[in-house]
Amino acid sequence: MKAIHDPTGALATGLAAIRQQYQVPDGFPPEVLAAAERAAAKAPGPEHEDRTGEPFVTLDPASSTDLDQAFHIEAVGNDLILHYAIADVAWFVADGDPVDAEAWKRGETLYLPDGKAGLYPPALAERAASLLPDGPRPAVVFTVRLGADGEPRLESARRALIRSRAKLAYDSVRLDQLPADFARFADRMNAAEAARGAARVDPPEQEVEALGSGRYALSFRPLLPSERANATLSLAANLAIAAALQKAGTGLFRVMAGPTAAAMARLRSTAAGLGLDWPEHVDLKTLERSLDQRNPNHAAFMLAVRRAGGGAGYAPWIPGVTPWHEAIAATYAHATAPLRRLADRYVIRATLAVAGGKPVEPEVEAAFERLPAVMAKAEALSGQIERAVIDLAETVMLQGREGEIFRACVTDTDGDSARVQLLDLPVVARARVAGAAPGQRVDLSLTGIDSKQRRLQFAPAS
């Protein structure tokens, strides 16, 4: 992590400009806030069975207050049973009410280092619907059975009243605070992923983090072990739900195609340039599973793989078509983050119906047709904002260092335009480097900075 020296307040000014440029919502309209307060006062109904005696806990970033998921795990014979409680947003938000209409405009929560623009007002997202450990909360509990084969199966989906025992944090959680079979569950899921040829490999994220008192830092952040293990719980639930919905002939699925032949050829060249050993008989997914986030060349290749794919999207159920997510190597859905993603609320409603032997509501089926476009627009906006924030932080970090020489590694090229990663700072930029090849080390001179346009200019050092 590299703290950003910003005596002129350029970062704060730039963040305000980004919010204005991308029209990031500043709060909620009064009628939406009023509707959210009314919804937050809604008491759980008889359909919420009392499960407050079960040992649910949450595991998230320490600063999170919009908690979507709580869980506990039990062993039954050789099977592991995941009880996965998800915020019951649909209990609070009715079709067509002001909160619902505003959520359809937003699609997902937008995150910036100086604050987020939530999908739902704080009265719901950070209080009444959030699975905080300060009292009973309505939830939808998915019961997922994980056998020795590592294949998760949905056993039930029911509304319930739960009480979280603890708000655990990725960076401080201890093993004795987690369910006894937490690690075994993650190991079993990871082994099953490898067996089916999945490659859910996440490169270290380039991110801007708030340090408090108006201070920020820029870093490449690999996922923590607790974070990676926790992700297997959502993966198991989402796989089980996707299989149940596909079998029932309904649903909204997360889909992603693999790299094209041309993209694979470029990746082969990139791997060679970065010094990775990639024998011809080894497929990409096998190689990905051998990569280490902490190795700069491996991390650079992981980022190149992410750029080589066409990106993930959403698709409704279509008769005769098997929805497929290439990186996960399975049919997959999103159902475990309804406080942050609009689509999840409708997938949960469909799952409740299917698991209960009831027809899916027409309003939910209609939403599945509309959601792919809405979610694609929201994800594109989120990606643009994230990149703009990082570009801004990079310009502020390097302010006053024009003329300095920086060591860099070329990660990929487009003609004479090379994407480079600085070796001593968490900065990714572009530079004109004639004849550059992936993996090549170059010395670059910082020739210009434009904080307003969030641009760095590098040229090969003479």
Side-chain angles (χ1 to χ4, degrees):
M1 180 179 293
K2 184 72 174 178
I4 300 173
H5 182 59
D6 184 23
T8 65
L11 190 52
T13 301
L15 289 173
I18 289 171
R19 288 178 174 274
Q20 183 175 17
Q21 177 183 346
Y22 292 101
Q23 299 180 355
V24 177
D26 181 17
F28 289 84
E31 65 274 15
V32 176
L33 292 174
E37 292 289 349
R38 291 193 298 271
K42 185 179 179 183
E47 59 267 62
H48 288 91
E49 61 186 26
D50 187 354
R51 299 180 66 168
T52 55
E54 298 180 28
F56 285 98
V57 296
T58 62
L59 180 58
D60 297 273
S63 61
S64 293
T65 52
D66 49 348
L67 308 185
D68 286 291
Q69 308 135 6
F71 60 92
H72 72 91
I73 301 169
E74 61 177 324
V76 177
N78 199 32
D79 292 344
L80 300 176
I81 310 298
L82 168 66
H83 301 283
Y84 210 32
I86 306 299
D88 192 359
V89 180
W91 172 253
F92 295 99
V93 180
D95 291 327
D97 76 7
V99 177
D100 177 58
E102 184 68 18
W104 275 89
K105 292 177 184 176
R106 299 184 180 215
E108 66 177 45
T109 296
L110 298 174
Y111 293 93
L112 289 89
D114 60 347
K116 65 190 175 191
L119 177 61
Y120 298 105
L124 292 176
E126 299 179 50
R127 295 197 288 277
S130 178
L131 303 182
L132 293 160
D134 58 359
R137 290 292 194 279
V140 174
V141 178
F142 300 124
T143 300
V144 178
R145 182 179 292 268
L146 188 67
D149 60 359
E151 181 180 346
R153 299 170 179 86
L154 183 68
E155 292 210 326
S156 67
R158 296 192 183 98
R159 284 196 152 103
L161 195 65
I162 71 151
R163 183 191 294 269
S164 172
R165 296 290 196 274
K167 180 180 182 291
L168 307 177
Y170 291 134
D171 59 358
S172 61
V173 65
R174 303 188 313 269
L175 283 177
D176 64 322
Q177 296 174 304
L178 292 164
D181 290 297
F182 180 78
R184 188 155 70 108
F185 191 99
D187 289 343
R188 191 172 286 188
M189 284 293 298
N190 290 333
E193 278 199 292
R196 70 172 183 269
R200 189 174 49 90
V201 179
D202 298 309
E205 298 286 349
Q206 190 184 17
E207 65 176 27
V208 180
E209 179 183 351
L211 301 176
S213 303
R215 298 178 302 115
Y216 299 90
L218 182 63
S219 65
F220 282 120
R221 188 185 72 84
L223 296 180
L224 295 167
S226 60
E227 197 171 357
R228 296 178 68 85
N230 191 47
T232 65
L233 306 187
S234 287
L235 177 66
N238 286 330
L239 287 170
I241 287 166
L245 295 181
Q246 172 72 357
K247 183 178 179 180
T250 187
L252 183 73
F253 302 91
R254 190 68 167 161
V255 294
M256 188 179 82
T260 64
M264 284 295 295
R266 290 196 298 272
L267 285 173
R268 285 266 176 197
S269 297
T270 301
L274 290 169
L276 274 65
D277 181 19
W278 187 3
E280 284 295 329
H281 67 278
V282 174
D283 63 23
L284 176 60
K285 291 178 181 177
T286 300
L287 175 67
E288 286 184 89
R289 287 193 293 272
S290 71
L291 300 178
D292 182 352
Q293 290 181 319
R294 296 164 297 183
N295 182 308
N297 282 15
H298 289 197
F301 184 74
M302 293 163 82
L303 290 168
V305 172
R306 174 177 286 184
R307 289 190 292 268
Y314 290 89
W317 179 80
I318 300 172
V321 175
T322 299
W324 196 253
H325 195 295
E326 181 63 22
I328 293 173
T331 298
Y332 185 64
H334 273 167
T336 56
L339 290 173
R340 289 169 278 174
R341 290 189 302 248
L342 174 64
D344 296 41
R345 171 157 54 104
Y346 293 91
V347 175
I348 291 171
R349 288 173 64 179
T351 306
L352 280 169
V354 167
K358 300 177 181 178
V360 176
E361 300 162 281
E363 296 86 354
V364 174
E365 295 286 11
F368 289 157
E369 298 297 325
R370 296 171 53 201
L371 279 164
V374 172
M375 297 305 296
K377 181 179 178 181
E379 289 183 331
L381 176 61
S382 178
Q384 290 168 348
I385 291 171
E386 180 181 357
R387 186 65 250 173
V389 168
I390 291 170
D391 288 344
L392 170 66
E394 290 175 342
T395 63
V396 174
M397 175 182 284
L398 292 176
Q399 199 72 323
R401 300 184 66 174
E402 294 90 338
E404 287 191 31
I405 306 299
F406 296 87
R407 299 184 306 140
C409 176
V410 176
T411 60
D412 56 86
T413 61
D414 182 8
D416 284 345
S417 177
R419 192 189 308 270
V420 298
Q421 180 177 313
L422 302 192
L423 297 180
D424 302 313
L425 291 172
V427 172
V428 176
R430 281 202 169 272
R432 290 282 176 185
V433 183
Q440 179 180 342
R441 300 294 177 92
V442 293
D443 289 336
L444 298 175
S445 172
L446 179 59
T447 59
I449 298 175
D450 187 338
S451 292
K452 288 186 177 181
Q453 297 297 319
R454 304 185 289 273
R455 290 176 184 165
L456 296 171
Q457 294 179 333
F458 286 97
S462 57

